[in-house]
Amino acid sequence: MAEEDAEEKWKVLSLTHVEYQADDHLAKVFAIFSLLPLVIVVVFITAFLLRRDLHTFTYGVGVITNYIANCALKKYLAEPRPKVRSVQFEEFGMPSSHSQFMWFCSTYMVLFTLLRLHNTTLWKVLCMVVVLGASTTMSYSRVYLQYHTIAQVVWGGVVGGLGAVLWFTITQLVFTPLYPWVERWKISEYFMIRDTTSIPNILWFEYVTIRGEVNTRKKATARKNN
């Protein structure tokens, strides 16, 4: 029995394991901030399930493609991380997956904000500052926590940013013209998948539409009671 236990190899599965120096409060903040990509993935899934929008779907496919590209680059380049740790889930660090993920998402959002949204200039600037600030902070935190070198996070940002430009261009020129056709599929109708590309401000449209429907139903109920 003892010999069998000695031969068994155990491996830890963790999505949130981040190490930081116990006496460094800023490192703790950065360690918590490192979970942001996981939060964004959850938001993506939630947003698509609630809105069933084709553009959200293709954006999510872009994020998955970006992740696959990062895994392929890490295996091809095989550049080790700057610090060897007792618990390490990925051996290689070039390019940084956190940096590439964040810069893909933020660059795509900047392009979407500039070219697709019809909000006020102040709102656009605020959105861009937030997403670019988050990506910059993430890149710096990965170096601060000694998970990556400066070069690894820089190249992660370059790959993510260029990937976002390419994916946004493909979405605009290839996917978007196909949305009305995909929307008419039987399976799209069954799952209530829709194309909201032609609506300039979907939040305002939903607000006005729902408020109008609520008022109409209230009036109909009042007439019945009378």
Side-chain angles (χ1 to χ4, degrees):
M1 187 66 180
E3 292 180 359
E4 292 180 1
D5 291 340
E7 292 177 358
E8 288 183 348
K9 291 183 179 180
W10 293 81
K11 196 171 184 179
V12 179
L13 176 63
S14 175
L15 295 174
T16 60
H17 183 87
V18 183
E19 292 182 348
Y20 63 93
Q21 292 184 345
D23 57 345
D24 191 335
H25 298 294
L26 180 59
K28 183 177 181 180
V29 173
F30 283 154
I32 297 172
F33 191 75
S34 295
L35 305 180
L36 184 58
L38 182 60
V39 174
I40 292 175
V41 170
V42 173
V43 170
F44 261 120
I45 296 173
T46 304
F48 178 71
L49 291 177
L50 291 177
R51 308 185 68 84
R52 316 290 177 92
D53 178 52
L54 284 168
H55 190 270
T56 304
F57 176 76
T58 52
Y59 187 8
V61 172
V63 171
I64 295 172
T65 304
N66 179 65
Y67 175 75
I68 295 173
N70 179 263
C71 293
L73 285 172
K74 278 186 175 179
K75 289 185 178 180
Y76 176 75
L77 297 172
E79 182 176 302
R81 295 176 182 271
K83 182 179 177 63
V84 178
R85 302 171 186 269
S86 58
V87 179
Q88 189 161 286
F89 300 104
E90 279 189 295
E91 181 183 0
F92 305 122
M94 172 65 91
S96 165
S97 57
H98 280 72
S99 179
Q100 186 173 327
F101 177 93
M102 290 299 298
W103 283 104
F104 178 91
C105 292
S106 63
T107 303
Y108 193 100
M109 285 304 301
V110 167
L111 293 172
F112 184 82
T113 301
L114 290 175
L115 302 177
R116 292 285 297 273
L117 291 186
H118 296 268
N119 300 83
T120 62
T121 302
L122 178 61
W123 178 252
K124 288 184 177 182
V125 171
L126 181 61
C127 289
M128 290 188 291
V129 168
V130 169
V131 296
L132 293 177
S135 297
T136 303
T137 303
M138 181 64 73
S139 298
Y140 178 77
S141 71
R142 301 307 287 174
V143 177
Y144 188 90
L145 294 172
Q146 300 181 49
Y147 275 95
H148 294 284
T149 64
I150 294 176
Q152 288 171 353
V153 297
V154 168
W155 280 110
V158 170
V159 173
L162 291 177
V165 173
L166 177 61
W167 192 256
F168 185 84
T169 303
I170 293 173
T171 299
Q172 289 291 96
L173 300 181
V174 180
F175 295 147
T176 301
L178 296 175
Y179 288 163
W181 175 60
V182 175
E183 188 183 33
R184 292 192 296 270
W185 291 356
K186 290 294 182 181
I187 190 171
S188 299
E189 293 178 0
Y190 180 79
F191 287 106
M192 295 181 288
I193 296 173
R194 52 191 172 175
D195 172 29
T196 59
T197 305
S198 59
I199 302 175
N201 191 330
I202 186 64
L203 291 178
W204 178 253
F205 174 80
E206 289 181 345
Y207 170 74
V208 172
T209 302
I210 293 174
R211 188 177 65 174
E213 180 65 20
V214 169
N215 290 335
T216 300
R217 289 176 180 271
K218 285 181 178 179
K219 292 177 182 178
T221 303
R223 285 195 296 267
K224 287 182 179 179
N225 295 334
N226 292 334

